[in-house]
Amino acid sequence: MPRLQQCRSFHPRGRELVVERIPLAPGYDISRMIRGGWQLSGGHGDVDRERAIEDMFMFFDRGVTTFDCADIYTGVEDMYGEFRQRLVARRGIEAARSFKVHTKFVPDWDRLGRVDRSYVAGIIDRSLTRLKVERLDLVQFHWWNYAADGMIETAGMLRDLQLAGKIDHLAGTNFDTPHTRALFDAGVPLASMQIQYSLLDARAENGMVELSRQHGMDILCYGTLAGGFLSDAWLGKAEPGSGLVNRSLIKYKLIIDDFGGWALFQRLLGMLHGIAGKHGVDISAVATRWMLDQPQVSAVIVGARYARHLDSILGMFKINLDDDDRAAIRSVLADRKGPSGDTFELERDREGRHGRIMKYNLNKE
């Protein structure tokens, strides 16, 4: 992959580790692991804010210099803004320039059809203030309800703010293939599309990957570890009942059900465990490496409140899957049942299994 670059960092015990980098746009490079921010928003349990901010240095110093958040992730943009200030104070302004934050613009479901320029500008200005910057690195646009008027017009308003210097790059998140195509046809320059894409959820392959190839758009994957299900922690464990502790686990358990159920999931974990042992890493490293090797995928987003699992996660950059590894994984995926449809299609159905656990008006909240 000729676009790849390398960022060298060191394990605390002195072992060198190479974190891959890739240009998302001309002159704009990102780390191929992006630190996710959803788990810092408080919906996954209490967050020790001070510890979370200090742990960001561990990600940054190991070469993970790209962070993801959203206007609707309560408190996360503020945390990233605080980290930026500390980064400048401790590492200097030059180091801080390599710190990239991808945020989102997610108008509430109930606001759709009534989005105007003042609303769009207000959300963007709020993100600028929280992140303590004069220009946002990358803004990922989302539109909950395609039946509501104004999607293309709102994207145009973001484009105007980009031309005015408040946004560096525009991108999308959780669009399906036809509506992504509509944005391109309207002249909206999407650098990337952030979507759920993993060994368990291959809906991106039902159109989005090919459209991305046609337009030179990169894919940023979230859910690559399925909220932690794709890890050694769940190998050999009994299927959980109704006592899952947060919305993330509930969400990804539904994906496992659609994938083919707990038995097929355990078969996949067993296969990944064998491959991981062969390469001296753990299941999460194999699952993320598989995704990094997929067409059009530039980076995986890995969410964590703190840095305690960072070493094992970075194992994705220590291995190369060989033909035998890939064939073994495909042998399990051949029995995959779903989920079916286009990207984020299931989650848009507010009455469906997936949609009922979503929250659609988080800016208002």
Side-chain angles (χ1 to χ4, degrees):
M1 190 178 292
R3 296 171 59 205
L4 284 185
Q5 304 165 13
Q6 296 179 338
C7 176
R8 297 184 181 277
S9 66
F10 289 85
H11 186 280
R13 296 187 182 91
R15 297 193 298 275
E16 188 176 33
L17 176 74
V18 176
V19 173
E20 296 165 1
R21 301 184 64 80
I22 198 165
L24 197 65
Y28 186 80
D29 297 343
I30 64 170
S31 52
R32 295 197 76 201
M33 175 186 157
I34 298 175
R35 190 215 191 282
W38 188 31
Q39 293 194 5
L40 293 174
S41 63
H44 301 80
D46 293 336
V47 175
D48 182 334
R49 187 177 188 275
E50 180 63 21
R51 177 184 174 187
I53 293 172
E54 284 298 308
D55 274 15
M56 292 175 193
F57 281 98
M58 298 177 68
F59 286 86
F60 184 85
D61 290 342
R62 300 290 298 280
V64 181
T65 59
T66 310
F67 287 39
D68 181 82
C69 65
D71 55 332
I72 59 172
Y73 295 175
T74 305
V76 181
E77 286 182 324
D78 285 316
M79 277 192 266
Y80 286 177
E82 174 65 23
F83 172 68
R84 185 189 302 277
Q85 287 189 322
R86 297 186 192 187
L87 187 60
V88 170
R90 299 183 197 178
R91 304 285 191 273
I93 190 66
E94 287 301 318
R97 287 196 178 103
S98 64
F99 174 52
K100 303 299 183 185
V101 175
H102 296 176
T103 192
K104 302 180 183 72
F105 172 79
V106 185
D108 289 342
W109 181 295
D110 291 348
R111 181 76 187 213
L112 302 184
R114 298 181 294 109
V115 174
D116 56 20
R117 289 186 180 275
S118 64
Y119 178 84
V120 176
I123 297 294
I124 295 302
D125 285 344
R126 186 180 67 184
S127 292
L128 288 166
T129 299
R130 289 170 170 175
L131 290 166
K132 298 178 174 58
V133 292
E134 296 181 357
R135 182 175 66 177
L136 300 174
D137 295 319
L138 183 136
V139 174
Q140 299 162 112
F141 173 44
H142 178 57
W143 194 259
W144 284 111
N145 181 10
Y146 297 136
D149 294 335
M151 182 190 82
I152 296 297
E153 292 79 5
T154 301
M157 296 172 198
L158 290 170
R159 173 63 170 157
D160 290 343
L161 290 171
Q162 181 186 32
L163 294 173
K166 290 193 173 185
I167 299 170
D168 195 359
H169 299 284
L170 285 180
T173 182
N174 288 331
F175 276 86
D176 64 11
T177 307
H179 290 88
T180 303
R181 185 180 295 110
L183 290 171
F184 277 120
D185 290 346
V188 181
L190 299 175
S192 60
M193 182 61 67
Q194 183 184 139
I195 51 176
Q196 186 169 297
Y197 192 12
S198 72
L199 282 163
L200 299 173
D201 183 355
R203 287 177 288 174
E205 296 168 15
N206 297 335
M208 185 62 75
V209 172
E210 175 57 22
L211 182 70
S212 299
R213 185 193 65 79
Q214 293 171 7
H215 287 274
M217 181 178 71
D218 291 40
I219 291 175
L220 308 179
C221 307
Y222 71 87
T224 50
L225 296 179
F229 275 116
L230 283 168
S231 69
D232 292 81
W234 286 95
L235 179 63
K237 296 295 176 64
E239 183 172 6
S242 59
L244 294 171
V245 296
N246 60 55
R247 278 197 306 129
S248 180
L249 290 175
I250 296 168
K251 165 187 171 69
Y252 290 112
K253 176 56 169 60
L254 293 175
I255 294 294
I256 290 170
D257 295 342
D258 291 344
F259 173 74
W262 197 254
L264 182 61
F265 169 64
Q266 284 295 321
R267 186 175 144 208
L268 176 64
L269 284 186
M271 181 65 69
L272 296 176
H273 181 69
I275 295 169
K278 167 182 166 182
H279 292 282
V281 293
D282 62 16
I283 286 173
S284 64
V286 178
T288 48
R289 185 71 252 175
W290 172 270
M291 296 314 305
L292 287 174
D293 292 343
Q294 299 310 301
Q296 299 304 125
V297 171
S298 285
V300 296
I301 300 163
V302 180
R305 274 175 279 182
Y306 312 114
R308 60 177 175 264
H309 299 303
L310 180 59
D311 286 341
S312 62
I313 294 170
L314 290 175
M316 72 180 87
F317 299 116
K318 293 165 55 178
I319 63 171
N320 290 302
L321 300 178
D322 59 32
D323 290 344
D324 290 340
D325 300 330
R326 288 188 286 270
I329 292 170
R330 290 193 187 101
S331 71
V332 179
L333 297 184
D335 292 329
R336 178 171 51 196
K337 309 301 181 187
S340 60
D342 210 329
T343 52
F344 212 69
E345 182 177 332
L346 295 169
E347 292 83 352
R348 290 181 189 279
D349 178 4
R350 298 184 74 175
E351 304 305 318
R353 294 164 53 248
H354 296 266
R356 285 197 298 269
I357 67 168
M358 302 294 293
K359 292 187 176 182
Y360 298 90
N361 295 293
L362 286 170
N363 266 307
K364 184 167 62 179
E365 292 181 18

